[in-house]
Amino acid sequence: MRQSSMWPGGVFLSFGLWLDRVGDDTAPAAVGDVLEKFGGTYSGAMFYGPPGIAFSRVPDAPGLSYAGARSARDVRRTLRDGAAYRVSMTMPGVGPVAVSFEATPGEEVPAERHPVEVTMEAGAFAVPRALWNEQERAAAEEREALVLRYFEACCTALDPAYAVLHSEGSTPTPAALSVGRQLGTDVYVARRLGLGPRLTQVNRLSETREWPNGTFYSGWFLTETTDLDALLAAWTRPGLLLAEKLTAAVA
């Protein structure tokens, strides 16, 4: 497998998880375990290196190497050792998937301070809805259901503080949120953080899904909002509150 095959082709669709409750496991290993339970299989490719590297983006982290044909057992062991920074999988219905530490633009930090993202091809979501033909619309509905299934499974099993679904975007860290970085349009927030009363305007502008541990607010993936600027503004204060709560939790 070539290095280029570690990422799905075309436009990317990702969900990034800010995992503050992974226990003794590494965050990518925990995500991989969930995806395996839903039929995912490791493809054998990975970027790996010494645990604890400070970096901004995989695969630019210093000291990383690439392996293209490792056994699933070897990939799992490397993940649990904290030495795997990106691994490839195949998921039923969506094809190639990468599980990776997400980039932290402008900030080199250890792995545990990176979100973990699951990336796949966007499929029909790479095209504006207004341009979908009947076949693309059907394909989008199928992909939407599968992506939501895997996204909800990770949020339910791993209880992230928050998670962001995006296309060619990123999941901001609490540090980035604290200086005003926008959270996004499609955001999951854990119920344990108690932000529900602060999300009245977000709720009005979004389509929502209630999951066991929190709520997914969608302004693009499920239904496009009629007022994008208002939705982004509505997330500003909750994003700052998320940063405050999570910073206080580790202080």
Side-chain angles (χ1 to χ4, degrees), residues 26-126:
T26 68
V31 172
D33 284 348
V34 174
L35 296 180
E36 279 199 292
K37 290 177 182 176
F38 281 78
T41 57
Y42 288 111
S43 305
M46 63 180 172
F47 282 103
Y48 66 99
I53 295 173
F55 63 100
S56 174
R57 178 181 175 274
V58 179
D60 298 336
L64 292 194
S65 300
Y66 172 78
R70 296 290 182 87
S71 68
R73 180 179 180 181
D74 193 18
V75 173
R76 288 190 204 98
R77 181 172 60 247
T78 308
L79 282 166
R80 285 177 173 30
D81 289 344
Y85 289 76
R86 177 180 297 166
V87 301
S88 64
M89 299 187 78
T90 300
M91 290 300 299
V94 299
V97 163
V99 178
S100 178
F101 287 112
E102 196 163 351
T104 52
E107 187 181 15
E108 292 193 353
V109 294
E112 63 269 17
R113 291 171 59 189
H114 286 253
V116 174
E117 69 177 353
V118 177
T119 298
M120 63 213 78
E121 290 184 31
F125 286 95

Side-chain angles (χ1 to χ4, degrees), residues 121-210:
E121 290 184 31
F125 286 95
V127 179
R129 282 176 169 83
L131 301 180
W132 286 350
N133 57 34
E134 186 175 334
Q135 183 178 7
E136 287 168 333
R137 188 171 301 279
E141 290 176 356
E142 182 178 357
R143 182 157 292 246
E144 177 185 278
L146 287 166
V147 172
L148 281 181
R149 184 186 185 209
Y150 301 142
F151 189 19
E152 179 181 358
C154 288
C155 290
T156 299
L158 305 177
D159 194 20
Y162 64 94
V164 181
L165 187 147
H166 55 80
S167 178
E168 303 283 345
S170 62
T171 303
T173 64
L177 290 174
S178 71
V179 295
R181 173 87 176 275
Q182 287 186 331
L183 191 53
T185 62
D186 290 68
V187 183
Y188 167 86
V189 180
R191 199 169 293 114
R192 59 186 165 87
L193 297 180
L195 289 186
R198 304 279 188 165
L199 296 172
T200 301
Q201 182 71 351
V202 170
N203 189 72
R204 186 180 70 81
L205 295 166
S206 304
E207 184 171 340
T208 61
R209 294 285 189 274
E210 294 296 331

Side-chain angles (χ1 to χ4, degrees), residues 13-31:
L13 178 66
S14 306
F15 56 84
L17 309 158
W18 184 258
L19 295 165
D20 58 333
R21 289 188 167 187
V22 293
D24 295 332
D25 217 345
T26 68
V31 172

